């Protein structure tokens, strides 16, 4: 969890302190996607250590697990989309038949 928090704070500092290049936005979104995955892994680890009773509806850990599991799958935190967008920003869009070949998050 500390790594995720440090990543998010660093992204916020970098995003607010300088002009961003075209590749900086996707790079920062990739870092946020990594932080989301770190959070999800931490909650999964807590549930592994707690045992099956962590999934009982009355256990607050179950709610945290559900919230983090759903939130970390939001398109802005989706690791595969973040990597794809970063690659496109670094390499430029590929062209096929004169069209931009990038996929949008809404198609996933």
């Amino acid at each position: 969890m500390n790594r995720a928090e440090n990543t998010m704070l660093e992204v916020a500092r970098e995003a607010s302190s300088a002009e961003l290049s075209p590749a900086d936005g996707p790079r920062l979104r990739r870092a946020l996607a990594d932080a989301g995955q770190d959070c999800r892994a931490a909650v999964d680890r807590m549930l592994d250590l707690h045992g099956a009773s962590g999934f009982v509806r009355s256990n607050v850990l179950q709610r945290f697990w559900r919230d983090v599991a759903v939130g970390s799958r939001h398109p802005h935190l989706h690791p595969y989309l973040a990597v794809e967008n970063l690659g496109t920003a670094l390499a430029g869009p590929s062209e096929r038949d004169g069209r931009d070949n990038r996929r949008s998050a809404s198609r996933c």
Side-chain angles (χ1 to χ4, degrees):
M1 293 298 264
N2 288 336
R3 182 170 63 181
E5 180 182 14
N6 290 337
T7 298
M8 289 184 275
L9 291 172
E10 181 59 34
V11 166
R13 269 192 297 277
E14 189 172 340
S16 66
S17 67
E19 286 189 36
L20 300 177
S21 73
D24 285 337
R27 181 180 55 78
L28 294 175
R29 282 190 290 280
R30 173 66 173 124
L32 288 177
D34 284 344
Q37 294 301 303
D38 289 342
C39 290
R40 196 156 111 195
V43 173
D44 283 345
R45 172 76 51 92
M46 284 189 274
L47 276 166
D48 287 344
L49 295 172
H50 194 289
S53 65
F55 290 98
V56 174
R57 277 220 185 267
S58 61
N59 191 326
V60 71
L61 190 55
Q62 184 270 351
R63 185 179 47 120
F64 291 146
W65 171 77
R66 186 182 65 236
D67 291 348
V68 170
V70 171
S72 65
R73 287 174 173 85
H74 188 278
H76 290 289
L77 294 176
H78 196 282
Y80 302 115
L81 290 175
V83 168
E84 181 179 344
N85 292 335
L86 179 57
T88 299
L90 294 175
S94 63
E95 293 192 24
R96 180 174 35 176
D97 302 328
R99 295 181 307 199
D100 187 357
N101 204 23
R102 291 179 289 184
R103 295 185 332 179
S104 68
S106 64
R107 289 178 44 195
C108 292

